[in-house]
Amino acid sequence: MVDLLDPTGVGMATWLLACNQEMFELDRYRQDGHSLRSWSVGRYLKELAAGDQFVMWVTGPRGGLVGRGRITGVPTQQPSAPDEYWQQDPGTRWYAPLVMDEWLAQPIPRQRFKEDARFGERSPLSTLFASNPHRVTEEQWSAFEEAFTDGQAMDTTPDWHLLPGQTIKRKELHDRYGGSRQGGMSKCAKSNNILLFSDPKTGHQHGYFDKWAEDGTFHYTGDGQTGPQTFDSLGNASTRDHVKLGLALRLFEGSRGTVRYVGEFAVDPEQPYSWGEAPETGGGPLRPVIQFHLAPVGRSTQPASVPVGCGYREADESVAPSPAQLSPSDSDLVGRNLKAHRKLQNDLAKAAAARGLDVFSPGAADPDFDLGWRLTADELTVCEVKSLTPANETRQLRAGIGQLLDYHDRLRSRAASVRAVLWVEREPSDSRWVALCERVGITLAWPGHEDDVLI
């Protein structure tokens, strides 16, 4: 068999894995939201290796070519799970770990390949009765790749129909656009979309801490619950390269049941991602994680039905991002100013909580204010925090006023009353800023004047 070559020059074999749905109901398994992580194999156990590529084939009159993926390790012998998808208990078998890179919306039938001269005497389609896997030559692999391209061309890509703020059951979302029903990142085979799901209620237990950052982008944690996250993951690589691949990033709040569409986003072309640390799923050890920097695309206004905020996330006062990763136009994002900004924010949040107020941070559907609180259920306050030095005072105050006017305009339809607060490090040297803020409906205050904004 002719092997493909990876960038290191090590040969990668190509295979066909067959599924008899009279033995295992693969379609129903997928429809119920399960992701394929391994497949039963009975031969070539010493030849299967991480990096090998395969196509998935379903036998029977309505079967054909249905997907493709990669082997991720050597086969191991283990008991099968005799669940409802098996027609009989499969017992202990050898399983090869794998990842599915793509599923076709419809199987490409066997007839196409029977008419192809590349599938002759050595055709894997003539030995489907034998154990998995089946060898695939380089020429046959090319034929399968061509079929995938044609299969995608024949499939009608559904138009995007959701508006920001609208909700949909996740199952219905995937039925329409494709993609896996599980996980936070879902590249769709039947549409030009990558679906991203952010859920602070469940994400933290898996080490996913998504949030708006000081640079004005939404930092979305990459794919992978254990070990260092890498771009070997299809979700991470596709998200990073979504512009080049012609794919839209669609962000949703929630991960199970009914989810809410936030809107379309794009990775920041200047700084598409950074690296952080987060615990493994279940509170395991810290490991490197990818934090994609996502910027909203197009309309960002949410309808009145969308609630504002989520639980307050304390700002890390000990971490100062590298200036090279941030916009140089914002003085609050580097060095001393960043630490001062975060301490001001946390101290004000503690003061508000001590007074019994409901303190919150912005959710994915909200503008990126620093923090907010509710005096009553109908009275919403959003706050922008700014550090001040003699050199940056005017620039900081101008920036804060502009940001708050934007936040107020975007939130006023989502609460009965919205108040804007500009919380600064100290009293401005020019008193005219207090009166100027009052004229545009903003309360300007600083430490020692908490009662001016919290009662």
Side-chain angles (χ1 to χ4, degrees):
M1 181 183 66
V2 180
D3 292 339
L4 304 178
L5 292 177
D6 69 11
T8 65
V10 179
M12 294 190 300
T14 51
W15 309 93
L16 179 147
L17 300 178
C19 173
N20 180 351
Q21 294 213 95
E22 293 183 358
M23 294 289 294
F24 180 77
E25 296 182 77
L26 178 60
D27 286 347
R28 191 160 67 89
Y29 181 84
R30 291 183 56 218
Q31 290 169 2
D32 288 346
H34 301 293
S35 298
L36 208 59
R37 301 298 185 189
S38 63
W39 198 253
S40 172
V41 292
R43 53 182 181 161
Y44 306 123
L45 301 180
K46 294 183 179 180
E47 297 181 41
L48 286 164
D52 287 359
Q53 299 180 74
F54 68 87
V55 293
M56 180 64 70
W57 187 277
V58 172
T59 61
R62 296 185 179 180
L65 182 66
V66 296
R68 59 180 167 182
R70 291 164 285 128
I71 304 296
T72 58
V74 298
T76 58
Q77 194 173 31
Q78 54 188 286
S80 305
D83 54 32
E84 59 180 307
Y85 305 101
W86 288 96
Q87 296 306 301
Q88 60 184 28
D89 188 342
T92 298
R93 295 188 175 197
W94 287 89
Y95 284 89
L98 56 83
V99 60
M100 292 300 301
D101 290 333
E102 185 173 6
W103 291 102
L104 288 170
Q106 298 293 333
I108 298 177
R110 181 173 183 156
Q111 186 63 32
R112 167 177 175 137
F113 305 101
K114 288 180 64 177
E115 298 170 353
D116 192 317
R118 288 169 286 188
F119 291 85
E121 295 181 0
R122 297 181 62 196
S123 171
L125 304 183
S126 63
T127 61
L128 293 178
F129 58 87
S131 298
N132 282 307
H134 306 268
R135 292 183 182 275
V136 175
T137 67
E138 184 178 23
E139 293 78 13
Q140 291 162 355
W141 183 260
S142 296
F144 284 134
E145 288 189 317
E146 293 167 11
F148 268 92
T149 301
D150 293 344
Q152 292 170 345
M154 291 185 293
D155 185 30
T156 301
T157 301
D159 293 331
W160 189 258
H161 75 290
L162 291 172
L163 295 175
Q166 291 184 333
T167 60
I168 187 173
K169 291 184 177 179
R170 182 162 178 178
K171 180 181 183 302
E172 295 177 6
L173 178 69
H174 292 297
D175 286 345
R176 182 179 181 98
Y177 298 106
S180 172
R181 291 170 170 79
Q182 293 183 327
M185 287 179 162
S186 185
K187 180 178 180 291
C188 301
K190 62 189 294 187
S191 67
N192 298 324
N193 297 292
I194 300 175
L195 309 180
L196 306 177
F197 299 90
S198 179
D199 191 347
K201 295 179 181 178
T202 61
H204 291 182
Q205 63 184 296
H206 300 301
Y208 298 152
F209 296 89
D210 305 334
K211 62 180 181 179
W212 286 101
E214 288 97 342
D215 62 359
T217 60
F218 187 71
H219 284 197
Y220 182 84
T221 308
D223 180 43
Q225 297 181 4
T226 59
Q229 292 184 354
T230 71
F231 287 104
D232 290 336
S233 159
L234 176 66
N236 291 336
S238 300
T239 299
R240 178 194 62 192
D241 302 331
H242 77 99
V243 173
K244 180 170 63 177
L245 296 172
L247 303 175
L249 299 182
R250 309 286 186 178
L251 181 63
F252 289 81
E253 277 191 329
S255 59
R256 301 175 183 172
T258 299
V259 296
R260 176 179 284 109
Y261 180 49
V262 176
E264 182 179 354
F265 282 68
V267 293
D268 182 352
E270 298 297 325
Q271 184 66 30
Y273 62 90
S274 57
W275 292 94
E277 282 190 333
E280 290 188 344
T281 185
L286 290 175
R287 48 37 185 285
V289 295
I290 302 165
Q291 294 178 332
F292 288 100
H293 297 198
L294 306 182
V297 174
R299 173 187 170 185
S300 57
T301 302
Q302 301 287 323
S305 58
V306 178
V308 177
C310 58
Y312 180 70
R313 296 181 296 270
E314 185 173 358
D316 185 353
E317 299 174 23
S318 66
V319 177
S322 166
Q325 298 180 357
L326 300 165
S327 168
S329 62
D330 192 336
S331 301
D332 252 10
L333 303 186
V334 292
R336 173 263 177 209
N337 292 337
L338 178 64
K339 292 182 179 181
H341 177 116
R342 292 182 174 181
K343 186 176 189 307
L344 281 167
Q345 177 180 319
N346 287 335
D347 287 349
L348 183 58
K350 292 174 185 176
R355 287 165 167 77
L357 302 180
D358 174 24
V359 186
F360 53 85
S361 293
D366 302 324
D368 54 330
F369 51 84
D370 287 318
L371 76 159
W373 57 86
R374 291 180 176 86
L375 297 174
T376 68
D378 296 327
E379 293 181 282
L380 175 73
T381 299
V382 290
C383 178
E384 183 67 20
V385 175
K386 292 295 180 185
S387 63
L388 294 184
T389 67
N392 71 14
E393 178 178 299
T394 297
R395 183 168 64 252
Q396 290 286 79
L397 291 168
R398 286 175 176 172
I401 291 170
Q403 288 169 286
L404 283 166
L405 291 175
D406 176 49
Y407 304 157
H408 186 276
D409 185 64
R410 292 166 62 183
L411 293 174
R412 58 193 176 92
S413 65
R414 293 168 58 189
S417 172
V418 180
R419 182 173 61 154
V421 169
L422 180 55
W423 187 253
V424 294
E425 187 174 2
R426 56 167 174 76
E427 182 178 1
S429 57
D430 190 340
S431 61
R432 74 182 182 89
W433 289 106
V434 176
L436 188 155
C437 286
E438 287 180 357
R439 288 199 300 272
V440 295
I442 294 172
T443 301
L444 175 62
W446 47 90
H449 291 261
E450 286 80 3
D451 287 347
D452 292 346
V453 297
L454 298 178
I455 58 174

